[in-house]
Amino acid sequence: MARDIGFLLFPAFNILDFTGPVAVFEDPWDAPEYRLRMLSLHGGPVLSSSGVTVLTEPWDAPVFDTLVVVGGPGTRWAMESLTFLSFVREAAAHSRRVASICSGAGILAAAGLLDDRAATTHWRFATELQRCYPRVRVDAERIFIQDGPIWTSAGVSAGIDLALAMVEEDLGLEASRERARDLVVYHRRPGGQSQFSALLELEPATDRIRQTLTFAREHLHEPLSVDRLAQVACLSTRQFAREFQAETGQTPAKAIEQLRAEAARARLEAGSESIEQVAEAVGFGDAERMRRAFARVFGQTPQALRRLVRGAAL
């Protein structure tokens, strides 16, 4: 029997927060396991922030399998509208599970649905969400989080990961993989995977330093001393160290540790290599050195991260 999925829209919603999960739940082979319904407070056309309009129906108290609340610039209006929040609470009460995409977590929080629960959202919105709703346990590192019947995801593409995880829960691993293949996207990233990229966080201003970081990422398994990196940048060791810190706010050694930790984390989440093998593959050399780096960068050990990912998969 097909499951009803309700997508709750509001003026100035983000179109990708909406269309990403819709594409996952939609079945192109005319054997739908899901029925998709587009909802709004009063029904009719709802204008997204990009100018695309979606035709919606008013919510009439049906029982939903899943209610999905999207995000976007209009989130702030939705969070302040008592009528809309009452609408969200009522719709959620008639749903087996409730999900938010990106800043849509703010709507769930304002409706009281995230009290005393773990949740994530887009990293730019996470600090504000925690400040405004201290009862929510905000984890800005996660791509998506399931806490009981409430699911929350980070920005835009993370909504696809969340939807694929729901398909896996409903229909099994192979069905989720098939949906990912149809969409030509990676099969679901683990919910514990970080939203951030070390290279994006460093954001050097010049091509010389950017190219050096790219070289470092491609040669993590090799020794990467400051002297070697300076040679790649065609600078003296002292000049390179000074320019690198000025542009990235970090020493070269700290940046290389961050890059190696990020690469190790991805391997731990995606594969079955031992911690020792991963440490060797990304240039840490031994598991103890990697453990200390993980504690500094992520605030948890490789063993704890692997347990977390395996627990989420189960």
Side-chain angles (χ1 to χ4, degrees):
M1 187 174 181
R3 297 169 170 85
D4 287 307
I5 311 290
F7 286 87
L8 186 52
L9 307 182
F10 47 84
F13 70 93
N14 183 294
I15 193 67
L16 284 178
D17 286 356
F18 166 64
T19 56
V22 163
V24 173
F25 289 120
E26 179 189 21
D27 192 331
W29 307 117
D30 296 325
E33 287 91 359
Y34 299 102
R35 285 190 298 265
L36 308 182
R37 298 180 62 178
M38 317 314 168
L39 311 170
S40 66
L41 192 57
H42 303 295
V46 178
L47 187 66
S48 71
S49 60
S50 65
V52 176
T53 297
V54 175
L55 187 62
T56 66
E57 57 182 290
W59 179 74
D60 56 359
V63 175
F64 286 106
D65 177 85
T66 303
L67 178 72
V68 180
V69 180
V70 302
T75 296
R76 297 188 187 281
W77 167 85
M79 292 170 64
E80 295 171 359
S81 169
L82 297 180
T83 302
F84 191 83
L85 294 178
S86 177
F87 172 61
V88 171
R89 283 190 289 267
E90 184 71 12
H94 289 76
S95 304
R96 177 174 68 90
R97 62 188 175 191
V98 179
S100 66
I101 312 299
C102 195
S103 59
I107 299 173
L108 298 190
L113 300 178
L114 296 184
D115 287 352
D116 303 316
R117 293 187 184 275
T120 192
T121 186
H122 192 287
W123 61 271
R124 289 190 184 275
F125 185 58
T127 300
E128 179 182 345
L129 181 65
Q130 187 67 85
R131 183 179 67 250
C132 295
Y133 302 97
R135 290 184 62 182
V136 183
R137 300 194 303 275
V138 179
D139 185 348
E141 278 283 313
R142 305 283 294 280
I143 287 178
F144 67 85
I145 291 176
Q146 177 190 4
D147 189 333
I150 307 296
W151 300 58
T152 53
S153 78
V156 186
S157 64
I160 295 176
D161 296 292
L162 178 146
L164 286 170
M166 286 184 165
V167 170
E168 183 175 326
E169 180 183 70
D170 295 342
L171 308 176
L173 179 60
E174 187 51 41
S176 177
R177 285 176 174 164
E178 186 64 26
R179 299 271 169 130
R181 286 193 291 267
D182 287 340
L183 294 173
V184 197
V185 298
Y186 288 112
H187 185 239
R188 177 171 63 86
R189 294 174 291 175
Q193 186 166 321
S194 175
Q195 295 186 35
F196 304 102
S197 163
L199 286 181
L200 290 177
E201 286 185 30
L202 292 169
E203 292 184 336
T206 64
D207 287 341
R208 191 193 300 268
I209 302 300
R210 280 196 295 269
Q211 289 168 2
T212 303
L213 282 170
T214 299
F215 171 86
R217 187 175 64 171
E218 294 171 351
H219 297 79
L220 289 176
H221 60 289
E222 302 173 10
L224 292 172
S225 65
V226 177
D227 288 343
R228 186 178 185 193
L229 295 176
Q231 291 174 2
V232 173
C234 298
L235 295 170
S236 70
T237 300
R238 180 177 296 180
Q239 185 181 8
F240 170 75
R242 184 171 59 248
E243 289 193 15
F244 188 96
Q245 183 146 13
E247 291 191 27
T248 67
Q250 295 189 19
T251 65
K254 185 70 173 178
I256 296 305
E257 179 183 76
Q258 189 175 348
L259 287 171
R260 283 180 167 143
E262 182 178 81
R265 179 172 183 162
R267 294 176 81 112
L268 287 171
E269 290 175 341
S272 57
E273 297 171 290
S274 70
I275 289 173
E276 291 74 16
Q277 289 172 323
V278 171
E280 182 68 27
V282 302
F284 279 121
D286 61 73
E288 176 56 26
R289 186 179 172 196
M290 186 169 80
R291 186 194 66 78
R292 292 196 299 268
F294 265 54
R296 286 189 291 267
V297 177
F298 301 126
Q300 59 183 332
T301 65
Q303 293 88 343
L305 174 66
R306 174 158 276 178
R307 285 195 299 269
L308 179 66
V309 172
R310 287 176 175 173
L314 290 174

